[in-house]
Amino acid sequence: MNDDPRVDHALVQTLDDATTGVRAVTNAGATDVPAAYAVQEALVARRLQRGESLVGWKLGFTSLAKMAQMGVSDVIVGRLTSGMEVRDGGAVDLGRFIHPRVELEIAYRLARDVDPAAPAEEALSAVDAVAPALEIIDSRYQDFRFTLADVIADNTSAAAFVIGSWTAIEAAGELGGRAVALTVDGQTAQNGSTDAILGHPLRALPALAEVARRQGMALRAGQVVLAGAATAAVALTPGAVVQAEVDGLGAVTVRAATADGR
Ligand code: OOG
Ligand code: MG
């Protein structure tokens, strides 16, 4: 909403330029969370005007590992667009990013709209499938240093994501307590459990519904949801082949390609 009085248009411009120009900026030192979500909406609206579509939502700081890594301790929500999607097994061009990091995530698919007036727990019943996923984050701020409001304004560092094969939620079994592993070139970089996500990975959905209700975000059928990293993020370097595996759900892979295609 461009007429939203909370939107700091200069910050929207700065963050959009940083993204398209692949250049870090100093953080804004922002503190007002609702105003930051308004900036995020306006920032993503620019991508939509350039032809991308809104395909889903991502949570951040749902694990202690991420909170500790970034020094921030509140759940945040960002927007995923079509231009961020990379196919499983594909390559992602590192030239698009400033200082990319990769995270092991779990993705959910919404089979129906989530009613913002319903209790947040009901968001669980909107999910019809689950998949292992990778997220590439790329803060537009120097050295990944930001306040909570800064990172919300910057669309929660969203840059790219990869989703593995979907498993129907009824067939997936208990999602809590599953072992997860993030490997880089076949070597384990991080491992842990799906319970690192808010104590149980399904808790991501009510947490999302709660933020969505407060910030006026419409959760729609067909959208995907990234539950937030289960482990700390690792730097994504040229040529790396990164894989995320979630016990019982399979694996998802991406290769970090350089501009010359290697
Ligand atoms: C913010 C994004 C956090 C997650 O999964 O916790 C996030 C950042 O760390 O730059 O995506
Ligand atoms: Mg993430």
Side-chain angles (χ1 to χ4, degrees):
M1 278 184 296
N2 281 333
D3 54 357
D4 186 330
R6 297 172 304 179
V7 175
D8 175 343
H9 293 285
L11 181 54
V12 174
Q13 186 70 51
T14 298
L15 289 170
D16 197 37
D17 289 347
T19 311
T20 57
V22 197
R23 265 209 348 240
V25 296
T26 48
N27 72 44
T31 54
D32 182 332
V33 166
Y37 276 110
V39 167
Q40 180 192 121
E41 184 177 14
L43 180 65
V44 174
R46 291 187 172 212
R47 297 181 75 123
L48 305 185
Q49 278 155 15
R50 294 196 286 262
E52 297 181 46
S53 54
L54 183 70
V55 298
W57 306 90
K58 56 159 285 190
L59 288 116
F61 307 136
T62 50
S63 72
L64 286 175
K66 279 293 302 184
M67 289 181 207
Q69 184 178 30
M70 307 314 294
V72 179
S73 62
D74 233 331
V75 169
I76 57 174
V77 172
R79 291 161 160 88
L80 300 175
T81 66
S82 51
M84 300 177 189
E85 207 164 349
V86 179
R87 101 185 142 71
D88 182 12
V92 61
D93 173 12
L94 283 192
R96 291 165 53 189
F97 311 123
I98 303 162
H99 41 198
R101 296 178 180 176
V102 63
E103 300 180 325
L104 180 151
E105 302 247 353
I106 287 185
Y108 300 110
R109 191 174 63 197
L110 300 178
R112 60 169 180 78
D113 295 358
V114 175
D115 176 2
E121 297 298 319
E122 284 193 20
L124 286 167
S125 62
V127 172
D128 76 337
V130 58
L134 288 162
E135 185 186 15
I136 296 168
I137 54 170
D138 190 36
S139 177
R140 269 56 67 168
Y141 302 117
Q142 272 162 23
D143 305 323
F144 267 84
R145 287 169 62 110
F146 41 66
T147 64
L148 188 70
D150 285 330
V151 66
I152 290 168
D154 183 28
N155 196 22
T156 68
S157 308
F161 66 97
V162 194
I163 296 184
S165 300
W166 294 106
T167 298
I169 197 81
E170 309 82 49
E174 170 54 53
L175 293 177
R178 301 268 185 112
V180 300
L182 182 67
T183 60
V184 178
D185 297 330
Q187 309 268 44
T188 304
Q190 293 282 328
N191 51 23
S193 162
T194 53
D195 283 350
I197 302 163
L198 298 171
H200 190 288
L202 284 173
R203 290 203 188 132
L205 291 151
L208 169 64
E210 185 52 38
V211 175
R213 185 186 58 74
R214 267 189 272 133
Q215 307 302 337
M217 298 162 163
L219 309 180
R220 300 283 193 215
Q223 291 179 337
V224 300
V225 174
L226 293 182
T231 69
V234 304
L236 186 60
T237 51
V241 175
V242 182
Q243 177 171 288
E245 186 173 6
V246 179
D247 189 25
L249 294 182
V252 54
T253 309
V254 76
R255 186 168 54 84
T258 45
D260 57 12
R262 279 180 296 144

